[in-house]
Amino acid sequence: MPVRVQTDDFDAGREIATLRGSDARIGAVATFIGTVRDINDGTPVTSMALEHYPGMTEKALMAIVEEARGRFSIMDALVIHRVGALRPTDQIVLVAVTSAHRGDAFDACRFIMDILKTRAPFWKKEVTPAGSRWVDARVADVDAEQRWSTDA
Amino acid sequence: MPVRVQTDDFDAGREIATLRGSDARIGAVATFIGTVRDINDGTPVTSMALEHYPGMTEKALMAIVEEARGRFSIMDALVIHRVGALRPTDQIVLVAVTSAHRGDAFDACRFIMDILKTRAPFWKKEVTPAGSRWVDARVADVDAEQRWSTDA
Amino acid sequence: MPDSRTAMPAVTTIRLVYLARLREAFGRSDEDLALMVPAPNVAAVLAVLRARGGIWAEELAAGRAVRVALNHTVAQADAPLRNGDEVALLPPVTGG
Amino acid sequence: MPDSRTAMPAVTTIRLVYLARLREAFGRSDEDLALMVPAPNVAAVLAVLRARGGIWAEELAAGRAVRVALNHTVAQADAPLRNGDEVALLPPVTGG
């Protein structure tokens, strides 16, 4: 299963090693890790709650991985997304992609992150000194997704 | 020291954790790992020797990291490149970049790899069933480097 | 057997799911909704909810960035609904 | 003290380093080279090496993709040389 939604933390090194296995066709592994920052939109963030839509989440992530497979020449891909209570410096998401060459690995990894940001049903609620607030969707994320439709 | 040249293998997970430290300004970590494939240009590869130019290598890698810092908004970067005898599935190179946002992390990581491929003084000599051969520079790598000069 | 063209429209019961900010705004995470319209679709559900007025009309007003998922896949307004379907209302996502 | 404009050119001794394929082609990894030209530069070194003929002329022919590093930094043909400089000849790199 190339996608996982979990409350537990993940060990990026171990996940990458498992994804690579002993496949000697792989020449490139591109990885992205998203982490919780202690500030957002200028406001200190003390913690956050990550909520998702069980049932849809895995399906949406699988669809994104399949779309990446169709667009890029990759061997394998892994997406892990955490939910629940998270604090600054905690890991949120891992995307790892293996390929023969680096171009496809980088492209597919970035593609998966860009599409995940606008399509996967996750929501962040931040706790700040002024109370808690749902995070607003970023215009930059919509722009990043658009990039892939105009490139196509 | 953000660059290292070594014969020993590296633990990507541990290196990423060290690079991140406890810096809560980091929201994105982009990582690339290059690995030895068991085939190149259609010929099976049983092993390879990676040679470099001691004295110049660290200097060249440092210059690439500094150029990335100047171009992209990043917190930190790490480059580890192995030399010596390597076999298929072995790790060759690690590039890891931390940033507040993923765009800069991805861009800087890819930039460092693209420039490393055409400017850092490393040479691969492959052992194949037909004997050993120095690997030819790839046109695709020169193209990848060019991309950054036209973008600038 | 009555002619289907003149029969009363059957009742279509769907499951509604509200996520994140919408769950808090509406004060509930889910509910069952009985639609008594012929050929019910996603647009019909939104019309019924908007007709409740107040926060419902406000949050689901045209132009608000609410996405609808039908049985866990994003669906358009004209997607037809069947008995037992799960229809979720999703505010803009902010994962990753 | 003689006028520097009419003096004999001083000898500039540099260290040459050959990497990878070039080291194997030339059968050596390094050597010292004494240049007896005024204002010696990278181009002068290449000219001296090409004048050796054979594999030297072949590998260093114009149009061959050989890069020169002066004291560990890539240098152009007009880069001036001083006593003790390290000049390395690099075939196209293939790391990463």
Side-chain angles (χ1 to χ4, degrees), chain B residues 51-56 59 81 92-93 116-125 134-137, chain D residues 17-21 23-24 67 69-74 86-88 90-96:
Chain B
E51 171 176 331
H52 74 126
Y53 178 18
M56 178 171 177
K59 199 171 172 178
H81 203 297
I92 305 171
V93 61
L116 181 157
K117 280 268 182 183
T118 53
R119 290 200 215 150
F122 295 101
W123 296 272
K124 290 178 184 141
K125 191 174 191 178
W134 291 98
V135 173
D136 278 330
Chain D
V17 175
Y18 308 112
L19 279 305
R21 192 176 52 72
R23 185 191 64 245
E24 293 188 354
R67 234 177 262 184
L70 170 58
N71 298 329
H72 305 131
T73 301
V74 169
E86 180 166 311
V87 174
L90 287 59
V93 300
T94 56

Side-chain angles (χ1 to χ4, degrees), chain A residues 6-7 48-52 82-87 123 125:
Chain A
Q6 61 188 46
T7 52
M48 67 163 59
L50 239 155
E51 171 176 330
H52 74 126
R82 293 178 70 192
V83 291
L86 297 173
R87 300 164 62 83
W123 296 272
K125 190 175 192 178

